[in-house]
Amino acid sequence: MKTIQTLMLGAALAALGGQALAQKVERPLRPEPAPVQSSDLPAVPATAQPERIVLNLTADPAHEMAVTWRTAPGLAGHVEYAQAEDGPDFIQKAVRVAALTDDATIAVREDPAFKAAYHSVVLKGLKPETVYAYRVGDGERWSEWLQFRTAAATAKPFTFLYMGDMQNNILSEASRTMRMAFRKAGDAAFVIHAGDLINRHDSDNEWGEWFAAGGFLYAQTPQMPTPGNHEYGRGPVLNPQWRRQYTLPETGPKGVEKLKETAWTVDYQGLRLISVDAPLFHGDEAMRGEMVRWLDGLLANNPNRWTALFLHFPLFSIDPDRDNQRVRDALKPLIDKYGVDLVLQAHDHGYARGAIGAGVMTNAGPGHPSDKGSTYVVSVAGPKMYPVAPLSWATRSASRTQTFQTLDVSPEAVTYRAFTATGRQLDAFRLTKNAKGVTRVETLDTAAR
């Protein structure tokens, strides 16, 4: 029967002159069809073997590193670590420290009483610019030995990666963007994620996809996320897994519990990196006020050469159906006043980059591209796409394109490159500063690398 059906299909295609073979299925630009989500499947129980191991920077990245992982409930957590060596003898010098363990029961989408033990340790007293090896476990079951490098104590060149929304079909489609990023910049000091790491905030299986997409890379290179609207449930209330599975710097507005580990800052080798909790900035007037006061102090007393602010909601949307006016009206005066160099964003599921000068503006931004002012970027790493409007302010834009970004930071310049998921260079520019601290943007030839 199969042979007869195949012959009949071949005859039909021949009658069409082969045109049917060349036809492509066009995906509608908007709205995107709802992808099949892993949260439609039963929950996968946490295992006795350590899983979802992730590093995070602390407020002192030259002397500390945070490590977090989970196991099945009821198990203890330990970290063994030592200064790495060229051979295996470092293992004999390893020191063991006990983890803080949260034996938690959480209502996740797949299971209203999901149980897992979340473990975290902040390794302290480390040497700057030093490679350490570590493993995590309960004393009997251990992960493999993993490695990380601490930051320098002074301003020195380094590279970091910037990713927009992974969000949808994370393991099957967004993972290729993340993995290509590490092929281009395997020595990255850390990775920032500009929100919407997953689609359904309470889906443990989707969080599992996010961790699987990076695998051991997350356990060797610190991951530094800011929350998007998809990390929040109604209220808005931050998903309880966020603070259990990350150990982020507690450097946000002092005494404000709602912003702990969502609004934070790290100084890294001459760069001040600032995470703004965009969902609360947009939707909670009291939290917006707290963050504005906090940002004013951070930016006014900033000894670093460079400043990068990152958040989920763009100040200047590239999707014609969006406008984050409350975010723009509150943040742009601070960005202008203190000359923030980079504003790295996500949410709009497309790509755009341009410098925007000082002053009050609408969502449309200025009427032309510029080489002065703060540089605003929007990008998306996952497969969900929205239309990109005609943008008079954008030096470069692209639709239906998954990207990652590398940023090479030195005391002299910041060199930015955007690459597609296939590794093709899409965009590039360099930031430099004159003697007065005024930043200049120079667009680079994308064929240069």
Side-chain angles (χ1 to χ4, degrees), residues 294-318:
W294 169 68
L295 284 166
D296 204 326
L298 276 181
L299 297 172
N301 301 286
N302 183 2
N304 297 275
R305 177 72 166 171
W306 304 104
T307 304
L309 185 152
F310 77 112
L311 71 163
H312 187 61
F313 294 152
L315 275 71
F316 299 92
S317 180
I318 64 175

Side-chain angles (χ1 to χ4, degrees), residues 44 50-54 68-70 118 204-205 207-209 211 241 245:
V44 178
E51 61 185 22
R52 302 189 185 184
I53 307 168
V54 63
T68 309
W69 72 102
R70 84 171 194 185
Y118 294 85
D204 187 70
N205 284 340
W207 281 117
E209 284 202 19
F211 278 97
Q241 286 169 285
Q245 64 194 12

Side-chain angles (χ1 to χ4, degrees), residues 326-347:
R326 279 176 285 187
V327 177
R328 182 174 61 256
D329 289 351
L331 277 183
K332 191 168 188 298
L334 291 172
I335 292 167
D336 295 344
K337 179 180 179 180
Y338 296 109
V340 171
D341 301 296
L342 290 161
V343 184
L344 307 176
Q345 308 148 114
H347 189 56

Side-chain angles (χ1 to χ4, degrees), residues 199-221:
N199 190 47
R200 304 181 190 185
H201 71 99
D202 58 350
S203 170
D204 187 70
N205 284 340
E206 287 182 31
W207 281 117
E209 284 202 19
W210 186 84
F211 278 97
F216 75 89
L217 299 170
Y218 294 168
Q220 299 211 142
T221 303

Side-chain angles (χ1 to χ4, degrees), residues 76-261:
H78 301 278
V79 174
E80 290 188 344
Y81 73 102
Q83 187 170 326
E85 299 176 1
D86 294 337
D89 297 337
F90 72 90
I91 294 175
Q92 308 306 318
K93 305 168 189 175
V95 175
R96 182 181 293 190
V97 294
L100 294 173
T101 296
D102 180 2
D103 234 331
T105 300
I106 305 172
V108 300
R109 180 173 290 266
E110 302 87 352
D111 182 352
F114 184 79
K115 298 180 185 296
Y118 294 85
H119 313 279
S120 63
V121 171
V122 176
L123 301 175
K124 299 184 177 183
L126 307 178
K127 298 178 182 178
E129 295 185 86
T130 302
V131 177
Y132 284 87
Y134 77 98
R135 65 177 184 172
V136 302
D138 64 359
E140 296 182 7
R141 289 158 291 229
W142 293 97
S143 70
E144 68 271 43
W145 286 97
L146 299 149
Q147 294 189 158
F148 64 82
R149 181 185 292 274
T150 53
T154 57
K156 288 190 173 182
F158 70 97
T159 299
F160 74 95
L161 287 163
Y162 149 47
M163 309 284 291
D165 309 48
M166 292 180 76
Q167 189 179 346
N168 298 90
N169 298 338
I170 305 161
L171 184 57
S172 64
E173 295 181 61
S175 62
R176 71 190 186 109
T177 314
M178 169 64 73
R179 295 171 187 181
M180 181 59 76
F182 272 93
R183 290 184 67 180
K184 288 287 185 181
D187 60 346
F190 55 86
V191 183
I192 64 170
H193 298 267
D196 282 6
L197 286 67
I198 67 168
N199 190 47
R200 304 181 190 185
H201 71 99
D202 58 350
S203 170
D204 187 70
N205 284 340
E206 287 182 31
W207 281 117
E209 284 202 19
W210 186 84
F211 278 97
F216 75 89
L217 299 170
Y218 294 168
Q220 299 211 142
T221 303
Q223 305 297 303
M224 304 303 292
T226 192
N229 52 299
H230 284 264
E231 277 74 61
Y232 273 89
R234 291 182 179 179
V237 176
L238 184 69
N239 182 266
Q241 286 169 285
W242 181 273
R243 292 188 59 196
R244 286 182 167 93
Q245 64 194 12
Y246 300 123
T247 304
L248 293 164
E250 295 186 12
T251 50
K254 190 174 181 179
V256 184
E257 186 68 23
K258 286 180 74 173
L259 296 173
K260 189 176 287 186
E261 296 184 75

